[in-house]
Amino acid sequence: MATHLDDIVAAKRAAWSGPAAADAAARGRRTPAVPGRFAAALGGAEISVIAEIKPKSPSKGQLLDPELAVPTARSYIAGGASAISVLADTPYFGGSPELVRTVAEHPDITVPVMFKDFLVDVRQVTLAHDSGADGILIIARAVDDALLTDLVRTAHGLGLDALVETFTQDEVDRALTAGARIVGINNRDLQTFSVDLDNSARLRRDIPRGVLTVSESGLSGRPDIERIAAHGFDAALIGESLLSSPDPAAQLRSYTGVQILEVAS
């Protein structure tokens, strides 16, 4: 059964199938990338929150006016966010590389920024770099092993951190083989859209020490944050529960200060 992800990845491959797409990265970044900056923001003793700027989604519709991206990012930082994720996809999520740049280059945004898109071409990593991002997200199931490795290596070569998103044990193994230093585990099954934190816990146990781990999707309250902290996750990627809150800063503060429990691996 085809999923939203299948449709999006097919469209993205079509968009990046020709040489003209490379011109999108033309402008370059304002300040040099600092290798490891994004990873360092996730490495504390407490759960770090990567707070997301997502203008819309295929399932929920409009979530945020892009004009409010910087004020929203400011409120996230005020609430204790360790990093900001900004959607760079336009057709499905209403973001853009320019929106990433607007957030990343704003003087008030003092935390690292992640370029979140559906990466199918190494030129997109260059685009993320030139948009001012400190990190990228790569979805393991969207690419084969060779491209996954190329994306990770290209990111590291440009001074960006790569968060590799997984959902199965095979995808975790592929991410580690590709050299991922940050592994995300998506709590939501992209076939059924059900959320299963227990699946994330099982996968987390097999990730070695020294690799940062991020719990993604379906996290909506402090009990969920405490639960993933008990499983040894380093960070949580949270978007819709913050975007739907009347006070994102207060909502985010309710997620902070949760100590991570060490998990043997």
Side-chain angles (χ1 to χ4, degrees), residues 139-157:
I139 301 174
R141 68 173 54 185
V143 294
D144 62 22
D145 290 347
L147 182 52
L148 177 57
T149 299
D150 283 348
L151 291 169
V152 171
R153 287 179 177 170
T154 301
H156 292 166

Side-chain angles (χ1 to χ4, degrees), residues 29-80:
R29 67 186 290 145
R30 185 169 57 86
T31 58
V34 178
R37 182 173 182 244
F38 181 79
L42 311 183
E46 299 176 349
I47 285 277
S48 300
V49 176
I50 307 168
E52 192 149 87
I53 301 291
K54 181 181 352 183
K56 68 178 184 179
S57 81
S59 59
K60 298 290 179 66
Q62 194 71 26
L63 296 168
L64 179 72
D65 183 339
E67 294 294 323
L68 298 177
V70 168
T72 301
R74 282 197 204 101
S75 71
Y76 287 163
I77 294 169

Side-chain angles (χ1 to χ4, degrees), residues 3 8 13 18 27 49 63 67 77 92 132 146-147 216 224 233 238 240 254 265:
T3 66
I8 293 169
R13 285 176 180 150
R27 203 173 104 192
V49 176
L63 296 168
E67 294 294 323
I77 294 169
Y92 294 91
L147 182 52
E216 305 176 33
D224 288 340
F233 280 92
I238 303 177
E240 291 180 12
S254 74
S265 56

Side-chain angles (χ1 to χ4, degrees), residues 155-177:
H156 292 166
L158 290 171
L160 307 185
D161 291 305
L163 191 173
V164 180
E165 178 181 302
T166 66
F167 183 73
T168 65
Q169 184 63 60
D170 176 65
E171 290 171 6
V172 170
D173 294 341
R174 291 177 59 223
L176 296 173
T177 299

Side-chain angles (χ1 to χ4, degrees), residues 238-251:
I238 303 177
E240 291 180 12
S241 71
L242 293 173
L243 292 168
S244 63
S245 171
D247 188 343
Q251 181 80 9

Side-chain angles (χ1 to χ4, degrees), residues 27 32 64 78 84 99 122 126 135 143 147 153 184 196 198 218 224 260:
R27 203 173 104 192
L64 179 72
I84 307 291
L99 187 64
V122 292
T126 301
V143 294
L147 182 52
R153 287 179 177 170
D196 183 2
D198 290 332
D224 288 340
I260 301 166

